[in-house]
Structures are given as structure tokens and as C-alpha cells.
Amino acid sequence: DSEEDTIPPGSSRDSGSVGGAPPDLSSMTPREAADRLFNRVMAAAAREDAAEANSFLPMAINAYGLAQPLDNDGLFHLALLQRAAGEHEESLAAALEGLQANPDHLLNLSAAAEASLQLGEVDAGREYYQRLLDSWEGEMAAGREEYEEHGPLLPLIREDAEAFLSGAVGPER
């Protein structure tokens, strides 16, 4: 795996504490703490600080375990973190859990496609990406909060799906 494979792209909300003293997670709900750790990992990844991202990655994954049950956004966060940790089966399971609640959820379709491709399940990855594109307009019109929070990531997700389905990008991701 390359460094690019261990750190997922994309971020959500503000990046929280960057450098300096970490926030007091004990004063937060389990989900708030998990989201802060997710944001810290994503901010470190965006800065290409693999050491920081990888040091907070296990804590972030564990924090989402403590924040159960998770909504679709939380499951997407968990799937991204698990993929970054090389836990592709767990990443797929988290994305599929989100798709049980909403089979057309764009973020979890993307996470399921990526995890499937990492596992060598090319046909499944293709199906998830096709469903993502087929669901795009209706889902974007739904005005989901997590789509607004991950706004900069959504065009990239669509580009990845289109590139894969057109054959411009192969399954060896």
C-alpha cells in the first residue's frame, strides 16, 4: 500500500484542534468526540501529515465504536477511517450498514465502491458506482445535511465513479 492508500481524501466541518493541545474529549458526547477525531485525521491527511493521521486513526475508529448507533454520516466517517487503516472488510460492512437505512446514500455508495475495489470485488464496486450515478440527482435534491458538510468531496466522488465506469481508471486503486 502506498501512503495515498492509507490516508483517505476529504474532510468534514472544521478541522478542530490542529497542533497544540487536543480538545477535552471528556466534555463531549461520544459522537462529538468521534467527529473531532475524524476531523483531526482528515486535517492531518489534507496537510499530508501521515504520522499525525496514522497516530489518531485507531483512536478515531474506536471513538465511532463508542458512539453507536451511528447515522449515515457517522457510518461514512467510520468507513473512511477503516479504509485508511487498511480494514477494507470492516469499511465495506460500515458502508453497507448505512445503505440498509438508505440504499441510495451517495457517501456510503462511494465508500462501498471503494472498499469493494480494495477487496478485489470489481463487479460489486462497479454496481455501487453505477447506483451512485443513477441516484445522484434525487439524492442531491434531498438536501441532506451530510451532503452539505461534505460538499467539496461530492464532485470528487462523482468524478471517481464516472472515471471508473468509463474505464479511465482501473480497479487497481
Side-chain angles (χ1 to χ4, degrees):
D1 285 350
S2 69
E3 180 173 303
E4 184 177 59
D5 291 335
T6 61
I7 302 175
S11 183
S12 137
R13 293 174 224 136
D14 79 65
S15 63
S17 170
V18 177
D24 178 10
L25 298 180
S26 67
S27 67
M28 300 177 191
T29 67
R31 176 59 191 267
E32 289 170 339
D35 285 346
R36 286 297 290 262
L37 287 164
F38 171 83
N39 290 335
R40 180 130 189 191
V41 170
M42 293 299 113
R47 293 191 314 275
E48 298 183 4
D49 185 345
E52 181 177 334
N54 290 328
S55 81
F56 282 92
L57 191 55
M59 289 189 309
I61 291 170
N62 290 337
Y64 280 101
L66 297 172
Q68 300 286 335
L70 297 172
D71 61 11
N72 273 325
D73 188 48
L75 290 165
F76 172 66
H77 291 183
L78 179 58
L80 280 183
L81 293 167
Q82 289 168 324
R83 183 171 155 238
E87 299 172 1
H88 303 300
E89 290 174 4
E90 293 85 349
S91 176
L92 180 58
L96 292 177
E97 184 179 337
L99 292 174
Q100 287 177 353
N102 175 359
D104 296 330
H105 193 269
L106 300 176
L107 298 171
N108 284 315
L109 283 169
S110 172
E114 292 294 330
S116 294
L117 294 174
Q118 290 289 332
L119 292 167
E121 298 171 7
V122 177
D123 290 340
R126 183 176 294 111
E127 288 177 28
Y128 291 124
Y129 270 148
Q130 187 61 60
R131 204 158 92 206
L132 182 149
L133 294 179
D134 292 345
S135 304
W136 189 268
E137 296 303 322
E139 280 295 296
M140 291 304 290
R144 299 188 196 290
E145 182 179 337
E146 62 266 31
Y147 295 168
E148 291 177 31
E149 292 171 355
H150 294 287
L153 184 59
L154 285 167
L156 301 174
I157 285 172
R158 184 177 181 136
E159 288 173 18
D160 284 350
E162 291 170 340
F164 180 79
L165 291 172
S166 75
V169 176
E172 65 289 332
R173 301 173 77 75

